[in-house]
Amino acid sequence: MEQQCLETALLMEFIEENCHGAPKGVIFDCDGVLIDSVEANMLFYNTVRKKLGLPELNAEQREYCQMSTAAQALEYITPPALRSAMGDVVRKMSYARDIEPMIQASEHIITLLKALKGKFFLGVHTNRTGPLDYMFNRLEMSGYFDPVMTVMYCEPKPSPDGARKILQQWGIAPHEALFIGDSLMDMQAAKAAGIPFLSYRNDKIMEKGTCCDFSKLEKALLALRQENKHCELK
């Protein structure tokens, strides 16, 4: 079924209504939003399962793995009797060498970040565990985000812990931020923190549709900021 993609005018209407004008900050999920990582991540998990003599992930397992931390995903897709062997398999693999180079920046994301830098606070809330510096540098995303909340610094989503810490650092109210994610866990974290949530390429979790195009989101955010000049960053 075709996605219910929101056009620029509807994006503006949705954001303005939920953020009471233009937001001051934008929080991005990482996998599936900032980066196109689904197939790279699935290759990692399927390789682990293959080495354990298990079949490839089914649709439900793929969805869970994309939303969760690596530790949660590996435990979920590995039967208890094989978890010790799974640990040995993972230790012999190199995600950085074999999987990470396959990951690419999402379409139009760099242009969006360049347009928003200095005009909006930009942060990341991800269920990834390790630092993202190397990957962001490779994908030309370095220098845009502060803070970057991984599970090293906060509880994993759907907990609102990371989102609340971002708001605290920025010194803004929940409605003054916009959380962009592609999963139910993202939406639950945003909702629990009181932050307006915009789905990216997943209209299954939002009745009003989803943002499918970052170039349209760029136009919507910049137009709203122009209309709401009191939203200057301090």
Side-chain angles (χ1 to χ4, degrees), residues 10-25:
L10 289 176
L11 285 169
M12 287 182 65
E13 181 181 310
F14 174 85
I15 295 168
E16 186 169 31
E17 177 182 346
N18 287 275
C19 296
H20 306 175
K24 292 183 178 180

Side-chain angles (χ1 to χ4, degrees), residues 136-147:
F136 280 173
N137 185 60
R138 180 178 69 83
L139 298 177
E140 300 182 356
M141 290 188 195
S142 295
Y144 291 105
F145 307 111
D146 185 24

Side-chain angles (χ1 to χ4, degrees), residues 122-160:
L122 302 175
V124 176
H125 186 11
T126 174
N127 274 354
R128 281 184 170 248
T129 304
L132 302 180
D133 301 30
Y134 174 78
M135 182 176 68
F136 280 173
N137 185 60
R138 180 178 69 83
L139 298 177
E140 300 182 356
M141 290 188 195
S142 295
Y144 291 105
F145 307 111
D146 185 24
V148 175
M149 283 288 166
T150 69
V151 295
M152 292 178 64
Y153 308 110
C154 64
E155 297 174 10
K157 294 173 289 189
S159 166

Side-chain angles (χ1 to χ4, degrees), residues 30-32 34-41 95 98-106 128 135-136 138-139 141:
C30 184
D31 290 83
L34 291 176
I35 60 174
D36 184 359
S37 60
V38 175
E39 294 311 317
N41 288 338
Y95 185 93
D98 302 326
I99 308 299
E100 196 275 334
M102 297 174 57
I103 295 173
Q104 299 301 318
S106 292
R128 281 184 170 248
M135 182 176 68
F136 280 173
R138 180 178 69 83
L139 298 177
M141 290 188 195

Side-chain angles (χ1 to χ4, degrees), residues 24-28 34 113 117 120-125 136 141-149 162 165-172 233:
K24 292 183 178 180
V26 183
I27 301 171
F28 294 89
L34 291 176
L113 296 176
K117 185 177 182 180
F120 299 83
F121 294 119
L122 302 175
V124 176
H125 186 11
F136 280 173
M141 290 188 195
S142 295
Y144 291 105
F145 307 111
D146 185 24
V148 175
M149 283 288 166
K165 286 179 177 177
I166 293 174
L167 293 178
Q168 183 177 22
Q169 177 169 322
W170 289 347
I172 64 175
L233 301 186

